[in-house]
Every structure is written in C-alpha cells, then in structure tokens.
Amino acid sequence: MTDTEKLADQLLAQERRALARAITLVESGRADHREAAQALLDRVAGHGKQAIRIGLSGTPGVGKSTFIEAFGMMLTGMGLRVAVLAVDPSSARSGGSILGDKTRMERLSREPGAFIRPSPSQTHLGGVARRTREAVTLCEAAGFNVVLIETVGVGQSETVVSEMCDLFLLLLAPAGGDELQGVKRGIMEIADLILVNKADGELKSAATRTCSDYSGALRLLRKRPQDPEGFPKAMMVSALQDEGLKAAWDEMNALIDWRRENGHFDARREAQARYWFGEEVKRGLMAQLETPEARALMEEGAEDVAAGRTVPSVAAQSVLDRLSVSKD
C-alpha cells in the first residue's frame, strides 16, 4: 500500500491527523505533491459522504470568528461534526498570513467534534484559498456533517465562494453606517441568509432597524429559482449571548430540504463541479506559460511592445501561435 493509499484509508476512518496532513498535501504547490494530491482525491471520490457546505462572509469587525465559534459549539452540542476552513488574507508585501483563527476560536478548537484549519489566501482572489474546494472534499470524506468556509472579508470578488457551498451567509453589524450602499450588490445577490450580528444590549434597537432595512432591500432583488417563498431573508443573531443561532440553523435546514425536494440541491452541486472543471483547465493552460520556452517568447514579445514595434494584442497572438506550433 502506497503512502497516498494509506492516507486515504486513514482519512475515511475519520482520523483528524490524516485530515490535517491531507489538506497540507493538496495545498502544496510542488509537482510531486500535486500528483499525490490528485491520487488522494481520486481515491476518496465516491465515498458517499455529504456535508452541508456553508460559506460565510462579513464586514470587518462584524464578529465572524465569534459567530462561527458560537454556531459551531451549538452544532457539536447537537452531535454534529463541524469543520471550519478559515481563509486569512496574505500580505501583498511579505506574502505572510497571521492564521490566528484557532486562537480566536479557543473553545471550539478544543471541541472533539470540531476541526479548524486556517489557510493563507496567497495571491488567489475570490475570498478563498486556491485549494479550499479540495479541502472541503477532504472534510466530507473524513465524515464531517457541516463544513463552514469563512472567507477573507466582504467584497465583490467574494462571490467565488458560492461556487463551493450550498448556503451562503452574510454577516453584518448594526449601526455600521450606510451599509446598504457599502455592501456590493453582487454579494447581496448570492446571500441566502443575512444575519445581523451583535443584536444585544444597546445595539439591539439598531440591529432591529438594520434587519428591517435589509429585509426591504432583499424584496427588491430579482426572484431566484432556487429559493422558496420568503428567501433570501434577514435575521438577527447574537453570537455573544447565543441568541438566534438555533432559529438561523432551522432556516438553513428548511432551505436545504426545500432545495433537495425540488431538485435544486443536486443541480447546483453538478453546476459547481462543471465550474471547477473549467477552472482547473484554465489553471493548467496558465501553467504552460511558466515553461522556459514560453517565458522567452513572452519576454521577446514584451520588448517589442515596450519599444513600440507592435501592439499588445498582436504580440500576444504571435506568442500564442508560436507556442501552438511548437507543441505540434
């Protein structure tokens, strides 16, 4: 039995250390590691295990980590196994990330039924790490019932996370200024639930107004075929006082059940699989530009463009034609 086969068997046997090693393997950029990762993913494919995948984003300071910890503790208290894949922004200058989510979720990190894995976003756009989708597959293979995907932060590019989750939650804080204008329409359109956090103490009245504003705004959006009547909706929660979390979970289950019964759940999973197949093909094509031959042609074309001997579009087509001929 190869190391990859052994790791796959340990993963399917729900060994936590095997899951950590497997995610490290799929996140590696080394060619031999990528080959081993693909063999691992192929071996655990078709295991029949399926988790509820929940994407979560929110404005800075909204309390995403506090919410995830409180929500995760509630789910593990119900006997569910919860995996948290948290994506931390990487520095554009040093390339480093803090990866402090386990520190911020101290109670949940000690819970036997929970698994927390922070990953750097590196240069990948979309609020998630490049291999987050594969990490979700590994968490499902390891028998987790719920996978929470925490994105870098609210923004227009965060919509990529909708291509790897079944539900998308948008967390907002009350009294946060002109949020209706500040939060982009793109992320509003993919949200299944908008949760106004910190609905406690002096902020409760502000949370009520914010929730009402968003409820009105959601009614103005175009109706989506994958939503029953009343969705998407806005709700109030308090992660600090564990209020509204059970009601939010009930709404998530109601939406998932409706989508399963009406064929939207499986259709969405199939569409996501097609999307990521296309993305992998694009990445493979981009990787071909990293060969020494391609780099030499790119440098030659760049010099011609810089000197004004040709225009970028013509130079680019010339490089592509010459690369195509060299492969033939």
Side-chain angles (χ1 to χ4, degrees), residues 291 293-294 297 319-328:
T291 63
E293 178 190 7
L297 289 175
V319 169
L320 293 173
D321 290 343
R322 291 165 71 181
L323 285 174
S324 178
V325 169
S326 67
K327 290 185 182 298
D328 294 339

Side-chain angles (χ1 to χ4, degrees), residues 264-280:
H264 295 292
F265 187 89
D266 291 335
R268 183 60 183 153
R269 287 274 179 113
E270 292 170 5
Q272 289 174 346
R274 289 177 178 272
Y275 171 85
W276 289 109
F277 164 73
E279 287 299 302
E280 287 299 329

Side-chain angles (χ1 to χ4, degrees), residues 89-116:
S90 297
S91 168
R93 298 180 66 181
S94 68
S97 298
I98 297 175
L99 304 180
D101 294 273
K102 280 194 174 183
T103 303
R104 292 194 293 267
M105 305 178 199
E106 187 177 352
R107 283 190 304 149
L108 189 61
S109 65
R110 296 197 302 265
E111 188 67 26
F115 175 85
I116 303 175

Side-chain angles (χ1 to χ4, degrees), residues 145-223:
N145 308 110
V146 180
V147 180
L148 293 168
I149 309 162
E150 180 193 359
T151 67
V152 167
V154 74
Q156 194 76 342
S157 66
E158 302 283 300
T159 55
V160 173
V161 76
S162 68
E163 298 295 343
M164 64 178 73
C165 66
D166 304 313
L167 295 172
F168 184 75
L169 311 182
L170 178 60
L171 252 64
L172 296 172
D178 192 5
E179 289 176 328
L180 276 173
Q181 184 175 349
V183 175
K184 299 294 185 181
R185 181 183 176 89
I187 201 169
M188 283 278 291
E189 289 177 332
I190 67 169
D192 296 302
L193 279 178
I194 291 179
L195 302 179
V196 181
N197 194 22
K198 302 184 180 181
D200 49 59
E202 296 179 355
L203 290 175
K204 190 156 189 176
S205 59
T208 302
R209 291 193 300 271
T210 302
C211 187
S212 177
D213 288 344
Y214 273 96
S215 295
L218 289 172
R219 286 194 289 270
L220 299 177
L221 295 179
R222 183 180 301 173
K223 180 71 176 174

